[in-house]
Amino acid sequence: MPKLKLSDRQLYALIEAVKLGEEVKPSQQAKRKAFSKYRIDGWENSKLTGIFYSIQRRLGLIDEVIGELVGVSPLILDPWLRATLRVAVEIAVFRNPNERTVQHLKGLAKFLSGRTHPYVGYYYYDLLPKILNYVPKIDSEEKRLKWDYLFPEWFIAKMKALLGEEAEELLKALNETLPVSLRVNGLKASVEEVEDYLRERNLRFERSERVETIIRVLDPFNPGKLMEKGLALPQEEASAVASLVLSPKPGETVVDLAAAPGGKTAHMAELMNNVGRIYAFDVDSERIKRMRKILEWAGVEIAEVRKLDGRKAPEVLGEEIADKVLLDAPCTSDGTIAKNPELRWRLREKNVPKVVELQKELIESAWELLKPGGRLLYSTCSMLREENEDVVEWFLGRHGNARLIPLSGPYDKGFLPGTMRAWPHRHKTIGFFYALIEKDGEDKPRF
């Protein structure tokens, strides 16, 4: 590996970007602001951007090293010290700095003293030799996988319990970048028209084998203009399959209980030929604002958007009013890590029961909204069994009139017969779970 050469100015820019990344989201915006301050552009920008995003991907592991060396969680340290230590660990432990760069790392003590208390700079200077000489103790398979693929050990253990040795293929896939995936909006364009648009710009692309309206763009691409014209919207294949599984028909009443940012709502309106009614609920104002814009671009005329907790929807709309209900439930979203690398270190095992409790409350509300004979799709972009099969089994046990409609494709069988899962390493899309449930007859608990 060639030795890494960084100037003090480049280190300052990285530190400020990492610190600002705690305060400004998305992190890309923080990076741009810090790099602009230090006039980082051209080849410098490309080089430092790679290091910055590497720090984001490795953040939990880097913080674990810091915690081991300082004896406390880095989250309670001075913010400037925390950011400086994160940069120093990335460069000293995970890269191969040349001697000049090591000297610049030592010089960061003065940089720190100028931005916070002088003692913080002294503390950093005393700690740096330990960082430079750090060697990790990799004494278990879970730790090896954590260092190789950058995931919390508890998550690795969960995936190994589901997939066995195949789990390593999944972890590897979650570290690969997915191409931009577009869903052609049939209300305004054909697949061929969008493909012609891409050809005119000399962009390589491929059409999905599972969803004919999904196109993957294989070159760097900003879909902004296509979105604003309503011709296509960014949407992963596995996400688009959800609307196809629920299969709303023209004239039906549909409820989307956790709708923002609106991709599935727009897709369902297309499947309904803009005939019928869709109630689209969400609780996040910014995401709702984004959803309204997406639905406007897409030419959706039948969606009524409301800021409302989906658990209260039966009180507002009444019971048994919907032919179809989509509950793409709030979840840990671990299936989307290939598109959101920073998410991996925000995953907390202790938070899973709280998420599951919300999912159970929402699926009960969805059931109240559904007419007899109607269908509910319960889906998540999580791969954890607790958020998927376990929730569905719990629900089926409570409702004797709930009948699971078996799903046989386009993806693999879930761990509960009749359910379905999309896997990143098998299907080259995000991780996704699907359970289609029909309301049939009188509601009596099964046990």
Side-chain angles (χ1 to χ4, degrees), residues 141 144-145 148-149 164-173:
E141 178 66 2
R144 179 189 73 81
L145 292 171
D148 285 350
Y149 299 106
E165 293 304 311
E166 190 185 344
E168 187 162 358
E169 294 179 40
L170 170 64
L171 299 176
K172 182 179 179 182

Side-chain angles (χ1 to χ4, degrees), residues 251-284:
E252 289 186 333
T253 297
V254 179
V255 180
D256 191 344
L257 270 187
K264 296 180 186 68
T265 306
H267 193 188
M268 290 192 294
E270 176 193 332
L271 297 175
M272 296 165 69
N273 295 326
N274 249 340
V275 178
R277 180 178 291 269
I278 301 175
Y279 294 100
F281 295 104
D282 209 274
V283 295
D284 188 297

Side-chain angles (χ1 to χ4, degrees), residues 63 66-77 123:
D63 281 358
I66 295 170
E68 188 179 329
L69 293 176
V70 304
V72 297
S73 167
L75 299 180
I76 69 172
L77 299 176
Y123 179 80

Side-chain angles (χ1 to χ4, degrees), residues 15-27 30 52 56 59 63 74-80 82-83 86 342:
I15 291 167
E16 294 215 17
V18 170
K19 180 180 180 294
L20 197 58
E22 293 188 321
E23 308 159 17
V24 175
K25 301 298 178 185
S27 58
F52 174 78
Q56 302 302 316
L59 197 56
D63 281 358
L75 299 180
I76 69 172
L77 299 176
D78 174 276
W80 280 107
R82 180 168 58 247
R86 284 171 170 173
E342 300 161 45

Side-chain angles (χ1 to χ4, degrees), residues 99-100 173 234 291 407 410:
E99 185 55 39
R100 185 70 172 166
M291 176 164 62
L407 301 175

Side-chain angles (χ1 to χ4, degrees), residues 25-45:
K25 301 298 178 185
S27 58
Q28 184 181 24
Q29 186 176 336
K31 175 188 73 74
R32 286 175 180 165
K33 186 173 182 180
F35 284 14
S36 175
K37 175 180 176 180
Y38 287 93
R39 302 182 185 277
I40 304 294
D41 55 20
W43 69 269
E44 270 193 318
N45 192 318

Side-chain angles (χ1 to χ4, degrees), residues 127-180:
L127 188 64
L128 184 60
K130 294 182 180 179
I131 296 175
L132 293 169
N133 295 311
Y134 181 83
V135 177
K137 296 177 182 177
I138 302 176
D139 53 8
S140 70
E141 178 66 2
E142 280 72 20
K143 283 190 177 180
R144 179 189 73 81
L145 292 171
K146 176 174 70 174
W147 276 79
D148 285 350
Y149 299 106
L150 310 175
F151 286 95
E153 287 183 52
W154 73 266
F155 179 76
I156 292 170
K158 293 279 188 186
M159 294 303 103
K160 288 189 73 175
L162 292 179
L163 293 170
E165 293 304 311
E166 190 185 344
E168 187 162 358
E169 294 179 40
L170 170 64
L171 299 176
K172 182 179 179 182
L174 290 172
N175 278 288
E176 295 171 354
T177 302
L178 287 171
V180 172

Side-chain angles (χ1 to χ4, degrees), residues 319-336:
E319 297 185 7
E320 299 188 347
I321 57 90
D323 300 288
K324 303 279 171 62
V325 178
L326 173 62
L327 174 55
D328 188 37
C331 64
T332 50
S333 302
D334 53 273
T336 70

